[in-house]
Amino acid sequence: MIYELCNLLMELSERFSFCRLVNYITFRSIMAALTSVIFVFLFSRPFILCMHRRSFWDQVRETGTHSAFDKSGTPTMGGLLIIGAVLSSMMIWGNWHNPFLLCSLAGMIWFGLIGFWDDYAKVRRHSGDKGMSERTKLILQSLFGIGFAWVCVGTYAPLGTLATQLYVPFYKYPLIDLGPYLYGAFIFLFVIFVSNAVNITDGLDGLAITPSLFVVTVLAIFAYVEGNKIYSAYLYYPYLRGAGELTIFAAAFAGAGLGFLWYNAYPAQIFMGDTGSLAIGGTMSVLSVLLKQEMLFPLLGGLFIAEALTSQIQDKIGVQWLGRRLFYRAPLHHNLQHIGIAETKVVIRLWIVSGILALISLATLKLR
Amino acid sequence: MNYLSIAALLIISLLLLVFLPAAYRWHLLAGRELRVLLTGGGTGGHVNPALAIAEGIKQREPGTRFLYVGVRGKAEAVIVRRAGYPLRFVSSEGFPGLRPSPASLRFLCRLSLGICQSIVILLGFAPRWVIATGGYVSAPIICATLLLRALRLSPTKIFVHEQNSIPGQLNAFLGRWSDRILLTFPQTLSFFPKNGVVVGYPVRHSIVTKPKEEALEQLAFTIPEKRQVVFVFGGSQGARTINRAIVDALRHFIPHRERLFIIHGMGLNKSSDYHAERDTENRLKAQYSREERDLIETFYYRKDYFHNIADVYSVSDLVVCRSGAGSLNEISHLGKPSLLIPKANLPGDHQVMNARAMKHSGATEILFEDTVVEGNEVLERVDGSALAERILRLLNDPDRLREMAAKSLLFLRRRSNERILSELFEDQNYNNGTGFHSIPFKPLMNNHRLLHLLSATYQASPGDFDPVRAVGDEDDLIYYRHRAAALLTHEAWQDRNLGVKLVGLTRYEEKIPALLLMLTDRQPAALVKRLFGGDFKQVGFIRRNVVQALQVLNRFNAEIEQSLLMAIADPYFEVRAQACRAAAHFGFLLAGKEQWLQALLACLQDKSFEVKAEAARAVGEVGTDGRAVEALMALKEDLLWQVRDAALRGIKRLMERRVIAPSEELLSQVGTFVLTATDFSPHFSIKATYRTIQDCCREGAVEEGPVQSPALLPDALARKPR
């Protein structure tokens, strides 16, 4: 909104030349981040109260019992706050003609809606298990996966001919051209896997949000580099025209996440729910694909991958097929808790791990 | 030329369409007598009610023509011929399930062939009613009738009789299109709310009580005087379980041969996997010497099928049989005391439900069958000595037999034949709706609900856990035990695992050897599974749960001890941990045993912290000397606080058990433990307060706290409103 307005004013008169500030991505990024933080701070308390009054409580454990030692009855669906903050911030600071931005927003909203449906079903049926069926969830995620893959390799692709090239970290040149079908299938699986991985990670207070802050921030830096002709040439990145807009989006996202952490930190006043975790997962996967950093994600978001893999290996291979446990417990954070590490400690240790992973990933900017 | 031929074809087809049905209807009306087509079979339980209905119709309309349609080689081929009804065969096959397979293809072929045959039969015979009594035999006829009705070629009405409380697959599916479903049990009405009518079970006219002397003369064999007669049979087809059990039981009857007589109906089954007569003869020869057989012949008579079953019933003092609806109703009709052996592993457990209902009215006793693996086969089995013991006990108690007989008479819904006829002939004035007493029918729990209930009860108070109290009925518990034991023989490990848990929680002590066998079985799993970390056929969960079940069973002997020693060295960590837990549980029995102390000390060096911690706790229960204390002290700098905690608990137990004396020196040693922990329990004060209010409101009990007197209250509160 402001972006459009300023551009309009600049065309009108020389007097408004200070408005060219909005053409600087750094300025808009900072403003976007601040806007979403302020949004979250403004609306969190009324939102939490509203959720509480409507009994939109976390339904993991039995309802109606308030044990003195657990956190049952905490309001959920905090993801709505994050989505709302990012949307309003982008409303103000975004360039809505940019295809990169539209793709990312679509991913966030689509996955947010899936998560919202799931949360809502759980709350309505008063049970943590009776949310949306696994199959429905997967079908809806696949719909987006297919659509997004089609956009990526299709004629409207924001990436153009680069789309089907596969880049790997620590290597300058594209490794292989996968062709539209193979690459489309790859994107499809990637999007579904990442979104569910975040969903699994979201099990302890603040565990999902901070690592995704790291991921999104690193991706914001990549977006800035790749969207900048000089830096991209200097660092041997393919120049992606318009990708700079993703910096603003990622900044808004990071701001919203930071604001959310304020309330979500242990002991949480609100949970993000599937609404939040799926939206975050969807956003991160779309961002990585658009910035050609799909292969960096296993490193950058290594925590999410580890959580998803331990959970799947334990459940599908161990418990259901072999009839034994392969880890003490799964996913990873429950294993750590089982070993006897307190929730707060587990969360902070995993933050540290994901921070280190983010730093290593950032090093690939130059180490290629 | 072309047009002409088309016109001619049209006219001919029109003529065919209009005149053929008309001609056929004429054919229907031409035969003035009532024609009834009977179908259903496979077992006597389906054939006999059809014959009973036919008898009723014949009495009311003597000129009626009947035709029975069945499948070659089944019970109907023998019984119906003997009863003198014309019999024709069609092709049919049992429904193999929805999954596509060679069996389902064969089913489709057989069924369509059967339907074609049935159409021919129906067009030729032109019945007014089709009466089907269930079993897949009746499928082609019902389908064909429905087809002809849809083509307006037949005004035939379809009546289906359902004998069981839970309808068979075929009746449940085709029943909705038939004109009336005649039901035996009121509970079945919920399956057929539109066209269901409760009529009871039609009993053949030949099933009438005769004076014993008269019946004795009718029999083809002689029963010496002053004998108590036991009639054992497993339905028209015969039951392998019952046949084998009674042969085994004969040994126990030899001492009582002067006072009892066994009549054994072996059954008509002559299929390749079980030939009733041959199997029984072979078993007799294998089990008994020649002299014994001669003795046995003096009180034992066997035959494949008794067509004059009423006579056999009349002379017998006790009936031992399956609890199919047919047998039950005949027994009840004649007022006979019985010992029922329900067939296990049936859909809906309907034989068990029938037997429970009858047992509830006090008319019978139940003996459940075991499921065991013999070679590669899964078989149901009843122990011969147990059967003999039950029979002898009943025969020795004439009062009980008399009481059972009296109650048996009350069990049946009477006049079911009249009710059925009133439905067929549409008698308006006959009141069908009343006159039924419904059987108290508490549904059986499925295995998962049972597990949930029992494990919750056990966890609430392991000390005074009593499965009988939890389940509420001893007979039900016995049945659940057998069902749980049957699970142990399943192929899928998930089922066996469930079985292990249930055997433990139902405290089925006879199965402890089977559990121990599973625990120590070292048959390897498939190679693929081993590559991914699997080990044995009895997977890790099963072995862990066996150890847990042994703990729940709370029994201990040398065999269990040996198996536990094996479990404590198991390759899977959860089994080792559970075995350590069991060692702590049985600690008072193991205390001082060197072998156990060594095993537990070895576990203290385990890679898995769970095993370490459990072993440390167990050492506290088992240790009797300084080595235990030393070993526990060695854990003082362990990485994980849970292990250190367990070690401290172990030391505390040693102190409580007076193995070590509390002293300043001990304290200074314990003081060297690393006491920092990485975990804590959060306490949310507001939730605790809420919880106390909640408890007060729910239980109504307010704890007496200090009450402030009005004098102490602030003025503003103490002042009374004016």
Side-chain angles (χ1 to χ4, degrees):
Chain A
M1 200 165 61
I2 288 187
Y3 176 78
E4 311 283 335
L5 193 70
C6 289
N7 278 332
L8 215 65
L9 290 176
M10 275 198 291
E11 277 176 30
L12 277 179
S13 150
E14 278 292 311
R15 256 203 221 155
F16 296 109
S17 63
F18 67 89
C19 284
R20 70 180 183 281
L21 206 52
V22 297
N23 282 333
Y24 292 98
I25 284 172
T26 39
F27 172 73
R28 274 202 288 148
S29 303
I30 291 164
M31 292 315 284
L34 285 178
T35 312
S36 49
V37 171
I38 290 166
F39 180 96
V40 174
F41 282 166
L42 277 182
F43 290 103
S44 277
R45 283 182 180 284
F47 180 81
I48 291 170
L49 267 185
C50 170
M51 288 289 133
H52 178 79
R53 284 197 200 118
R54 287 163 183 266
S55 309
F56 283 177
W57 298 344
D58 186 47
Q59 301 286 338
V60 174
R61 300 183 183 87
E62 285 181 307
T63 53
T65 56
H66 289 265
S67 154
F69 306 110
D70 66 37
K71 293 168 297 192
S72 63
T74 309
T76 183
M77 281 196 216
L80 287 180
L81 269 178
I82 300 176
I83 295 174
V86 174
L87 267 184
S88 52
S89 169
M90 291 325 287
M91 213 58 110
I92 299 172
W93 301 105
N95 171 9
W96 284 71
H97 299 296
N98 185 302
F100 286 93
L101 178 62
L102 292 180
C103 279
S104 322
L105 281 175
M108 182 182 72
I109 293 170
W110 182 277
F111 280 95
L113 285 178
I114 297 174
F116 178 76
W117 185 0
D118 193 24
D119 280 337
Y120 192 74
K122 278 181 196 167
V123 168
R124 285 298 295 273
R125 295 174 195 165
H126 294 288
S127 158
D129 314 320
K130 291 183 188 162
M132 185 196 277
S133 77
E134 199 75 9
R135 196 192 298 161
T136 325
K137 212 181 203 174
L138 211 60
I139 287 173
L140 287 175
Q141 290 172 343
S142 308
L143 277 183
F144 181 82
I146 292 167
F148 182 58
W150 182 71
V151 168
C152 274
V153 300
T155 43
Y156 306 106
L159 296 169
T161 52
L162 269 177
T164 57
Q165 308 280 0
L166 188 71
Y167 282 85
V168 290
F170 302 110
Y171 186 64
K172 276 193 198 68
Y173 309 102
L175 192 67
I176 187 174
D177 189 340
L178 284 175
Y181 295 105
L182 211 54
Y183 188 73
F186 171 69
I187 293 179
F188 168 78
L189 292 175
F190 180 77
V191 169
I192 290 173
F193 183 77
V194 171
S195 58
N196 285 316
V198 180
N199 198 354
I200 289 165
T201 310
D202 180 32
L204 300 178
D205 294 354
L207 181 58
I209 192 71
T210 310
S212 35
L213 278 184
F214 289 138
V215 172
V216 167
T217 314
V218 170
L219 287 176
I221 295 168
F222 272 92
Y224 186 73
V225 169
E226 288 176 44
N228 187 305
K229 216 163 194 168
I230 301 163
Y231 288 147
S232 62
Y234 169 61
L235 290 168
Y236 295 105
Y237 273 95
Y239 170 59
L240 300 174
R241 198 185 143 78
E245 198 68 22
L246 287 182
T247 313
I248 301 155
F249 175 79
F253 208 93
L258 215 51
F260 183 74
L261 184 62
W262 188 275
Y263 298 96
N264 187 231
Y266 185 90
Q269 288 154 281
I270 186 159
F271 294 149
M272 67 168 74
D274 283 2
T275 321
S277 60
L278 283 180
I280 290 174
T283 313
M284 288 197 307
S285 57
V286 170
L287 283 181
S288 326
V289 170
L290 287 179
L291 293 170
K292 305 298 306 166
Q293 300 301 332
E294 313 91 336
M295 295 313 286
L296 182 65
F297 192 84
L299 180 65
L300 177 57
L303 174 68
F304 300 112
I305 305 289
E307 293 269 0
L309 283 183
T310 46
S311 157
Q312 292 302 308
I313 289 173
Q314 174 88 324
D315 188 46
K316 296 279 154 27
I317 295 181
V319 172
Q320 287 183 17
W321 186 51
L322 294 177
R324 60 166 293 171
R325 290 205 167 96
L326 294 169
F327 310 103
Y328 289 122
R329 294 290 181 274
L332 181 61
H333 57 265
H334 281 154
N335 192 48
L336 295 175
Q337 276 188 303
H338 182 77
I339 286 177
I341 306 176
E343 179 174 347
T344 41
K345 223 177 178 66
V346 170
V347 169
I348 291 176
R349 284 185 177 172
L350 291 180
W351 287 356
I352 294 170
V353 169
S354 66
I356 292 170
L357 288 174
L359 281 178
I360 297 172
S361 309
L362 207 54
T364 64
L365 262 182
K366 187 65 193 155
L367 291 176
R368 284 152 46 93
Chain B
M1 188 60 198
N2 241 344
Y3 290 114
L4 255 178
S5 58
I6 289 170
L9 264 177
L10 265 176
I11 289 168
I12 291 170
S13 51
L14 254 178
L15 279 177
L16 277 176
L17 269 179
V18 175
F19 281 99
L20 257 187
Y24 180 65
R25 273 170 188 277
W26 175 80
H27 162 72
L28 281 186
L29 295 172
R32 245 165 285 142
E33 82 282 1
L34 176 61
R35 296 176 187 204
V36 179
L37 190 143
L38 305 163
T39 182
T43 65
H46 291 302
V47 180
N48 285 331
L51 294 184
I53 296 173
E55 280 169 8
I57 297 172
K58 215 195 290 187
Q59 240 175 19
R60 185 147 163 173
E61 292 272 330
T64 313
R65 276 182 61 190
F66 291 99
L67 176 66
Y68 202 105
V69 179
V71 167
R72 207 175 291 277
K74 293 285 175 185
E76 55 269 28
V78 181
I79 304 172
V80 175
R81 282 243 174 80
R82 172 113 189 167
Y85 295 99
L87 177 67
R88 291 184 70 173
F89 294 116
V90 295
S91 144
S92 183
E93 180 138 329
F95 184 56
L98 282 172
R99 197 170 287 174
S101 66
S104 63
L105 192 71
R106 202 176 58 209
F107 163 75
L108 274 180
C109 293
R110 288 261 171 94
L111 185 66
S112 6
L113 178 64
I115 290 176
C116 295
Q117 291 168 326
S118 305
I119 288 177
V120 174
I121 292 173
L122 282 168
L123 288 177
F125 186 63
R128 197 196 297 176
W129 302 325
V130 165
I131 298 173
T133 48
Y136 62 84
V137 174
S138 53
I141 284 285
I142 297 183
C143 290
T145 315
L146 289 171
L147 196 70
L148 288 181
R149 284 211 309 204
L151 295 172
R152 310 209 164 273
L153 276 174
S154 158
T156 309
K157 279 193 168 179
I158 304 174
F159 294 88
V160 173
H161 187 270
E162 174 57 59
Q163 294 90 27
N164 286 301
S165 52
I166 291 150
Q169 277 178 321
L170 173 87
N171 284 357
F173 180 67
L174 289 176
R176 66 189 87 174
W177 291 297
S178 57
D179 294 84
R180 274 272 182 283
I181 306 260
L182 312 168
L183 307 173
T184 308
F185 294 97
Q187 290 82 9
T188 330
L189 261 181
S190 58
F191 290 93
F192 308 104
K194 277 188 191 152
N195 50 1
V197 187
V198 185
V199 295
Y201 188 92
V203 175
R204 280 176 295 166
H205 284 224
S206 56
I207 305 287
V208 285
T209 329
K210 291 181 184 170
K212 204 165 178 174
E213 297 73 37
E214 195 186 315
L216 277 173
E217 283 169 21
Q218 300 283 329
L219 290 178
F221 51 98
T222 49
I223 299 173
E225 275 185 30
K226 292 194 177 161
R227 297 280 185 98
Q228 283 183 300
V229 181
V230 183
F231 179 31
V232 184
F233 73 106
S236 64
Q237 293 302 290
R240 174 165 42 197
T241 314
I242 294 182
N243 288 347
R244 290 187 177 173
I246 195 66
V247 170
D248 297 352
L250 287 174
R251 181 178 306 283
H252 305 275
F253 293 138
I254 293 176
H256 306 275
R257 63 182 178 276
E258 293 302 326
R259 66 179 184 91
L260 53 70
F261 195 89
I262 311 282
I263 306 175
H264 179 196
M266 290 177 290
L268 293 168
N269 198 344
K270 290 181 172 55
S271 62
S272 55
D273 60 299
Y274 182 63
H275 190 295
E277 201 175 342
R278 204 182 301 150
D279 188 79
T280 308
E281 296 295 343
N282 289 344
R283 202 174 179 88
L284 262 175
K285 286 206 183 96
Q287 299 260 11
Y288 299 102
S289 67
R290 216 185 154 73
E291 294 78 47
E292 280 173 323
R293 282 211 298 280
D294 287 342
L295 277 182
I296 285 168
E297 294 300 330
T298 63
F299 68 93
Y300 175 62
Y301 178 82
R302 63 189 175 279
K303 199 172 177 242
D304 55 351
Y305 187 76
F306 294 97
H307 289 282
N308 55 340
I309 197 165
D311 297 328
V312 184
Y313 273 134
S314 298
V315 300
S316 50
D317 298 291
L318 176 67
V319 180
V320 179
C321 63
R322 286 277 190 223
S323 57
S327 308
L328 282 202
N329 279 285
E330 286 179 357
I331 291 168
S332 164
H333 189 81
L334 299 174
K336 286 290 164 191
S338 55
L339 173 63
L340 298 178
I341 305 176
K343 187 164 171 52
N345 309 326
L346 282 180
D349 287 330
H350 66 252
Q351 286 218 348
V352 179
M353 301 298 273
N354 293 347
R356 278 175 85 217
M358 197 150 173
K359 157 98 189 175
H360 208 86
S361 64
T364 188
E365 290 203 355
I366 305 176
L367 185 61
F368 291 105
E369 54 185 20
D370 266 328
T371 309
V372 293
V373 183
E374 273 179 24
N376 292 325
E377 239 181 328
V378 177
L379 290 181
E380 284 86 20
R381 204 178 77 87
V382 166
D383 186 37
S385 58
L387 177 65
E389 193 259 331
R390 288 292 281 272
I391 290 176
L392 287 173
R393 187 160 18 116
L394 279 172
L395 290 182
N396 284 334
D397 190 353
D399 291 338
R400 173 95 181 99
L401 284 182
R402 256 194 300 281
E403 185 199 340
M404 280 163 74
K407 288 191 169 153
S408 172
L409 263 181
L410 294 174
F411 177 67
L412 175 74
R413 274 155 294 278
R414 314 219 147 251
R415 300 201 304 177
S416 72
N417 287 14
E418 289 167 50
R419 292 200 171 92
I420 291 172
L421 289 184
S422 77
E423 283 300 326
L424 292 174
F425 289 97
E426 292 171 25
D427 292 348
Q428 297 301 325
N429 51 3
Y430 195 92
N431 183 5
N432 245 344
T434 56
F436 296 106
H437 63 271
S438 85
I439 312 161
F441 221 63
K442 201 182 87 196
L444 286 168
M445 277 178 275
N446 67 27
N447 283 329
H448 288 280
R449 279 199 48 196
L450 180 69
L451 176 68
H452 188 77
L453 172 79
L454 288 177
S455 59
T457 320
Y458 179 75
Q459 268 155 25
S461 57
D464 59 342
F465 171 68
D466 180 13
V468 181
R469 197 155 14 106
V471 169
D473 184 292
E474 197 169 355
D475 266 317
D476 285 358
L477 181 70
I478 293 172
Y479 171 64
Y480 288 140
R481 279 178 180 165
H482 282 84
R483 209 168 64 179
L487 282 173
L488 296 182
T489 61
H490 279 208
E491 190 47 43
W493 68 260
Q494 287 89 346
D495 293 333
R496 293 201 302 275
N497 190 26
L498 180 64
V500 167
K501 290 187 204 168
L502 285 174
V503 165
L505 284 167
T506 53
R507 292 231 167 115
Y508 191 10
E509 287 171 13
E510 285 80 51
K511 285 288 162 187
I512 289 180
L515 290 185
L516 295 181
L517 214 61
M518 292 176 97
L519 181 60
T520 51
D521 186 8
R522 287 293 179 260
Q523 193 184 335
L527 182 65
V528 199
K529 289 194 176 184
R530 268 181 289 153
L531 284 179
F532 277 93
D535 37 30
F536 306 122
K537 180 169 169 269
Q538 309 295 354
V539 299
F541 283 163
I542 290 183
R543 302 199 302 273
R544 179 198 66 191
N545 290 331
V546 167
V547 179
Q548 202 169 8
L550 290 174
Q551 222 172 305
V552 177
L553 279 158
N554 212 5
R555 284 281 169 276
F556 199 78
N557 56 33
E559 268 175 64
I560 294 178
E561 190 182 341
Q562 283 311 311
S563 309
L564 283 180
L565 271 175
M566 201 161 162
I568 215 165
D570 196 277
Y572 179 44
F573 69 92
E574 281 197 306
V575 183
R576 295 196 300 270
Q578 192 67 45
C580 290
R581 225 166 279 152
H585 181 83
F586 296 117
F588 59 98
L589 295 165
L590 303 175
K593 288 194 181 174
E594 186 60 26
Q595 210 178 3
W596 275 97
L597 186 68
Q598 291 304 332
L600 288 172
L601 292 184
C603 279
L604 289 180
Q605 311 300 323
D606 205 278
K607 268 185 288 179
S608 159
F609 85 93
E610 279 185 6
V611 182
K612 264 188 188 173
E614 294 299 339
R617 233 166 267 168
V619 165
E621 300 285 348
V622 175
T624 47
D625 49 25
R627 282 175 300 163
V629 193
E630 246 170 62
L632 293 179
M633 284 291 181
L635 295 175
K636 66 184 176 183
E637 286 170 3
D638 196 276
L639 184 65
L640 296 172
W641 71 270
Q642 286 173 320
V643 177
R644 283 177 267 138
D645 184 40
L648 282 181
R649 278 164 201 258
I651 291 173
K652 184 170 145 256
R653 270 306 287 166
L654 286 176
M655 240 158 67
E656 285 167 0
R657 288 176 49 237
R658 319 261 160 158
V659 175
I660 41 173
S663 66
E664 278 301 318
E665 195 203 331
L666 180 71
L667 184 62
S668 66
Q669 275 191 23
V670 171
T672 57
F673 262 72
V674 178
L675 290 181
T676 48
T678 49
D679 202 6
F680 63 97
S681 320
H683 180 87
F684 299 100
S685 184
I686 182 171
K687 285 186 182 173
T689 315
Y690 169 78
R691 195 58 184 267
T692 50
I693 295 177
Q694 191 185 31
D695 289 348
C696 289
C697 293
R698 291 223 173 120
E699 285 148 29
V702 182
E703 249 178 63
E704 290 286 325
V707 181
Q708 276 192 325
S709 67
L712 293 174
L713 283 177
D715 276 357
L717 285 173
R719 207 177 295 144
K720 280 177 190 166
R722 284 175 196 168

